[in-house]
Amino acid sequence: MAITGFQPSVMRSGLMMIVALFGVTIRRQAYPLNHLGFAGLLLPVIFSPYGAGDIGLILSYYATMSILLWANPIANKICFTDSCGHIYQFRFNSLITQFSRDDKKADETGVGHLRLKKLYNAFASVLSVSLAANIFVIPISFFVFGAFSLVTLLSSVLLYIPIYLILLLSLVISLLYWIPYVQYAAIALSYPLIWLCRFV
C-alpha cells in the first residue's frame, strides 16, 4: 500500500488482506465478502470520506464483489469436471513429471485427454474470473465513461502470467538488493522486469 502511495483501490485490497490474515492468525474461518464489506466501512474513516467517490476504488470494490459472487458459478459452467462435480485442476509440475496415478487410470478407462482438460481448465478458470469481474464493472463503466471495451475481457487473461512474473521479480529484486555482493544479480534481474512492465 505504501509503494503505491496509499491509493484507495489498493488500500481496499490491503485492508482485506490484513483482515484475512488476522482471521487466519486467530484461527477463524475466512469470509471474503465480510472482509470486503469491512474494508468498505473502514476506508472512509482511515483514508478520507471523499475517497468513497474515487472511481478506481468503486471499480475495484465492485469487481472484487463480482468475482467473489460469480467466479465459481461461471467456472463450474465452463470447466471440465469429474463424476463428483469437482473441477480438474492443472498443476505445472505435471508438465515435468509423468502422469499421476489418477491421470493414468483416467486414460486407461477411456476418459482420456485428462491433461488437455486440465490445461483448458487453467485457462477457463482465469477467464471465469475476468468475466465475473466485469459483471458489475460494465454498467459502472458505461455510466461513468460512456463506453466499455470488450478487449478488457481477454486482456486480463493474456496479462495474467506477465503480471505474476512482474510481482515475483519485484519481490526477488527487492530482497536481493539489500544483500552485499548480490546487488549485481538484482540489477541483472531488473532488465527483464523493465521489459515485462513495458510489455504490459
Side-chain angles (χ1 to χ4, degrees):
M1 289 189 292
I3 287 170
T4 58
F6 294 103
Q7 296 295 320
S9 57
V10 180
M11 286 188 67
R12 189 272 315 154
S13 60
L15 286 172
M16 278 188 71
M17 284 305 302
I18 289 168
V19 173
L21 291 173
F22 179 72
V24 170
T25 305
I26 60 172
R27 300 188 180 192
R28 298 289 181 185
Q29 185 171 348
Y31 295 102
L33 279 172
N34 287 351
H35 301 161
L36 180 64
F38 182 74
L41 289 173
L42 206 58
L43 261 177
V45 176
I46 292 176
F47 184 70
S48 163
Y50 302 106
D54 182 76
I55 188 62
L57 174 62
I58 293 169
L59 289 172
S60 169
Y61 193 89
Y62 281 101
T64 305
M65 183 192 306
S66 204
I67 289 168
L68 292 173
L69 292 173
W70 298 106
N72 283 337
I74 292 173
N76 289 331
K77 295 291 183 186
I78 64 174
C79 290
F80 288 108
T81 56
D82 60 13
S83 57
C84 299
H86 300 295
I87 294 174
Y88 291 121
Q89 297 293 322
F90 177 77
R91 304 262 190 276
F92 280 106
N93 62 357
S94 67
L95 292 175
I96 301 168
T97 59
Q98 292 186 349
F99 279 123
S100 66
R101 188 181 306 161
D102 294 337
D103 291 357
K104 286 180 180 176
K105 188 185 294 183
D107 280 343
E108 289 168 4
T109 55
V111 175
H113 307 297
L114 189 58
R115 204 182 288 201
L116 289 176
K117 289 179 181 178
K118 288 181 176 182
L119 186 61
Y120 165 79
N121 281 358
F123 172 79
S125 297
V126 177
L127 181 62
S128 66
V129 171
S130 178
L131 292 172
N134 284 288
I135 290 174
F136 288 159
V137 168
I138 288 174
I140 296 170
S141 296
F142 272 119
F143 180 75
V144 175
F145 304 114
F148 178 78
S149 174
L150 292 175
V151 176
T152 58
L153 293 173
L154 286 178
S155 64
S156 58
V157 176
L158 297 174
L159 295 176
Y160 178 78
I161 292 175
I163 289 174
Y164 179 81
L165 291 173
I166 285 171
L167 293 172
L168 190 63
L169 280 171
S170 300
L171 177 64
V172 171
I173 289 169
S174 63
L175 293 175
L176 290 179
Y177 189 76
W178 299 105
I179 302 173
Y181 307 108
V182 191
Q183 293 175 342
Y184 296 110
I187 293 168
L189 285 174
S190 67
Y191 290 105
L193 178 62
I194 291 167
W195 183 85
L196 282 168
C197 290
R198 286 178 180 166
F199 172 76
V200 170

